Amino acid sequence: MTSPTLPNVQHYEPAPPTKANLEYVDLAVIDFSKAATEEGRAELADKVKEGLHNHGFLYIVNHGYKQEETTRMFDIGDVPFSCVPDNEKPKYAAKMFEAGSEEGYKLRKYWVRDGIPDQLEQYCPNRHVNKLEHPEALLPLLPEIDKFCKFNHFHVLNNILRLIARSLELPEDTLVNKHNWDAPSETAVRFLKYFPSTEEGATDHLLQGHTDFGTVTVLWSQPVAGLQIQTREGEWRWICHMDNALVINVGDGIEFLTGGYYKATIHRVVQPVEDQRQYTRLGVIYFGRADDDVKLMPMAESPVLQREGIERRWDDNQAPTMERWGKERAIAYGKQGVNEVNINGVSVGYHD
């Protein structure tokens, strides 16, 4: 049986790994090949618990995607930026400031900080890829993007959610049931491309320090050093690239749902180091968010949370939904002069 012929896509050549001596954070490595057995899941749940407590970030290896498949997705991820004319992109622009929607393009120079426009461009197709209109260059690639979204959702996101639930001594599908594929939510793949900054007076920070709006973020590792996390001691440390690995972190949604037991980690993207400064930085990320109608209140039925204590940021009847939290954060992010947003009495700021 012959394999189907895939559409031709221009190859994206990533930067070579940096030779700089950087202070990397030591993250737990979760081997997904062990998740097939009860014994393996018990072991992984303990490692997830330790890793999330230590740093809020993890690596996943042996997730099921081959290196050549990952390379192909990075090639596809570059298409919205390299194969779509700049004058066509505004037609598909996201309504971030107007409606808190991140679907479509976030164009370069949309965000402004201290008078300096940003150099990040991103394209976010809905995970249901036929829901939106897309640039013509992407149309032949939608079946592959659809397959990739489903892989991330069912094989990566759901399995991490099961391990988190297990670490809280909850039924494994407790969090999976809050992330339904067919339910309305902002869970989506996002392609991002950082361009070398040419603006006079540009900051070293390409993306301000922040926590992610959703629950679980799945970042496909790429070689341009730039991602840093703030440790529990308040120091900035680099995330090291690992070939064909996934970098996982939890966001605001998990912090609220676990009553502060797992904290969303502040992270940022800075200018690449000198030997990578001339390269673009292409990102492929699957952002997980709970269903729109999920209220962000602690899962108080967890025996672990009952023993360890629950941090309540608001009364349960005042807890915002995932939809409201995500949209209000998206509306505020990147606006000139806006350094924090207050949602139901909880303030979220941005960090240098």
Side-chain angles (χ1 to χ4, degrees):
M1 182 176 178
T2 59
S3 299
T5 302
L6 298 175
N8 287 328
V9 177
Q10 176 179 299
H11 176 57
Y12 176 80
E13 187 62 40
T18 180
K19 294 182 172 63
N21 184 22
L22 304 176
E23 291 186 280
Y24 292 114
V25 65
D26 184 19
L27 300 182
V29 178
I30 307 301
D31 183 350
F32 257 21
S33 68
K34 297 181 179 181
T37 68
E38 173 72 18
E39 182 182 34
R41 289 195 298 278
E43 176 188 338
L44 293 182
D46 287 341
K47 291 195 73 171
V48 165
K49 176 186 285 190
E50 181 181 8
L52 293 184
H53 274 308
N54 288 343
H55 299 297
F57 273 68
L58 311 160
Y59 290 115
I60 290 178
V61 297
N62 296 324
H63 43 73
Y65 242 53
K66 299 175 183 176
Q67 179 62 64
E68 56 266 31
E69 293 175 298
T70 301
T71 298
R72 170 76 178 177
M73 281 313 305
F74 273 86
D75 292 346
I76 290 172
D78 190 43
V79 168
F81 314 116
S82 296
C83 301
V84 178
D86 285 343
N87 62 4
E88 185 181 341
K89 294 173 183 177
K91 175 183 175 182
Y92 305 98
K95 292 179 171 56
M96 287 187 173
F97 290 162
E98 302 92 334
S101 172
E102 297 171 276
E103 294 180 341
Y105 278 103
K106 198 292 294 178
L107 300 172
R108 290 167 75 179
K109 303 186 178 184
Y110 184 76
W111 294 330
V112 178
R113 183 184 179 206
D114 298 330
I116 306 297
D118 76 287
Q119 296 298 324
L120 166 64
E121 190 163 273
Q122 67 183 34
Y123 186 75
C124 180
N126 190 283
R127 69 182 182 279
H128 301 291
V129 296
N130 295 315
K131 178 183 175 183
L132 304 178
E133 288 188 53
H134 302 282
E136 185 175 350
L138 275 173
L139 297 182
L141 305 172
L142 292 182
E144 290 177 83
I145 297 173
D146 175 66
K147 178 183 175 183
F148 184 69
C149 288
K150 288 175 178 172
F151 177 84
N152 277 273
H153 197 96
F154 293 107
H155 296 281
V156 182
L157 175 63
N158 280 0
N159 280 332
I160 280 291
L161 292 172
R162 289 187 178 104
L163 293 174
I164 293 173
R166 189 179 184 117
S167 76
L168 298 170
E169 298 175 16
L170 289 168
E172 282 193 352
D173 281 346
T174 299
L175 284 165
V176 170
N177 291 337
K178 298 179 187 294
H179 295 74
N180 293 287
W181 173 262
D182 291 322
S185 82
E186 292 292 317
T187 294
V189 69
R190 199 176 303 171
F191 306 121
L192 308 89
K193 194 171 188 179
Y194 294 87
F195 293 83
S197 180
T198 57
E199 297 285 342
E200 185 176 349
T203 176
D204 283 340
H205 304 156
L206 300 180
L207 196 64
Q208 274 183 286
H210 64 284
T211 55
D212 284 347
F213 309 169
T215 50
V216 174
T217 300
V218 180
L219 182 150
W220 291 71
S221 189
Q222 57 76 48
V224 177
L227 178 60
Q228 297 180 333
I229 72 168
Q230 190 176 68
T231 67
R232 304 305 187 209
E233 295 72 38
E235 299 174 322
W236 290 103
R237 292 290 182 266
W238 299 80
I239 297 291
C240 185
H241 168 59
M242 187 183 297
D243 285 341
N244 205 33
L246 309 179
V247 179
I248 304 295
N249 68 280
V250 295
D252 298 338
I254 288 294
E255 179 167 338
F256 298 143
L257 290 169
T258 65
Y261 186 71
Y262 292 132
K263 302 287 189 185
T265 296
I266 297 167
H267 54 286
R268 67 186 183 186
V269 178
V270 300
Q271 292 279 5
V273 291
E274 193 62 37
D275 63 352
Q276 295 180 323
R277 188 66 58 93
Q278 72 272 31
Y279 293 92
T280 58
R281 182 179 187 272
L282 183 65
V284 176
I285 306 178
Y286 194 74
F287 286 95
R289 294 192 188 174
D291 300 344
D292 280 353
D293 62 358
V294 169
K295 296 194 74 173
L296 298 179
M297 56 190 187
M299 297 179 292
E301 69 274 23
S302 161
V304 172
L305 300 189
Q306 291 171 13
R307 291 195 302 269
E308 299 294 330
I310 295 174
E311 177 185 298
R312 294 186 181 275
R313 307 296 292 276
W314 35 57
D315 293 337
D316 286 355
N317 61 359
Q318 294 181 325
T321 61
M322 183 79 263
E323 179 184 29
R324 183 182 171 207
W325 181 264
K327 287 187 181 300
E328 292 206 23
R329 287 213 59 189
I331 287 169
Y333 191 86
K335 278 187 176 178
Q336 175 72 1
V338 176
N339 294 315
E340 68 176 18
V341 59
N342 187 292
I343 305 170
N344 281 25
V346 173
S347 293
V348 183
Y350 306 105
H351 309 263
D352 290 330

